[in-house]
Amino acid sequence: LTSGVLDVALLPDEVHDPRLRLRPLDDDQISLVAGELIAKRMSSASTWREGLISTPLVTYQRETPMRYLVDRLCTRGGLEFKTMISVNGVEAMKLMIQKGVGVAFLMRSLVEDELREKRLVEIRLPMALPKRGSVLATRRGETGDEIADLMLRLMGLQASARKQRSSKGALLEA
């Protein structure tokens, strides 16, 4: 945005730049998800922590805001995964999780369909998982506001459709 290449961007709410106009969007819940086989294996472990850290963590590439959030979450929860797999792209992460490669911390809105269709299972942890905010950003004094307004209207339609579908994903108590 600041280099003039993009007119509008969806960014994490941690971004603070006086050159940008930031419009807050709804917060989204972080969820820990797994495929059915991994979820069953984790539920049979002697403790939730043992079941979790012995499972590979499929996560975002380094130097991304979501990876920083996952790293902070793991540090806060004392979770030291034996294996971490960095992937470039949420769709690739979801496919790996569905195929039983490991578990992932993903934004709930990104996995609602998979949870509802039972292609993924949400793992509940005894620790609270944070919400993550995002902002729609445009350059101050530029013409990106019209595009941002259109995007907000479209996103509002998608958000209301998600709320109507509700969160009927399968839950597993760890």
Side-chain angles (χ1 to χ4, degrees), residues 71 78 131:
D71 288 347
K131 288 188 174 186

Side-chain angles (χ1 to χ4, degrees), residues 26-42:
D26 290 337
D27 289 343
D28 196 357
Q29 183 66 48
I30 304 283
S31 293
L32 177 64
V33 295
E36 188 176 341
L37 293 175
I38 294 279
K40 284 181 183 174
R41 191 187 70 195
M42 287 177 62

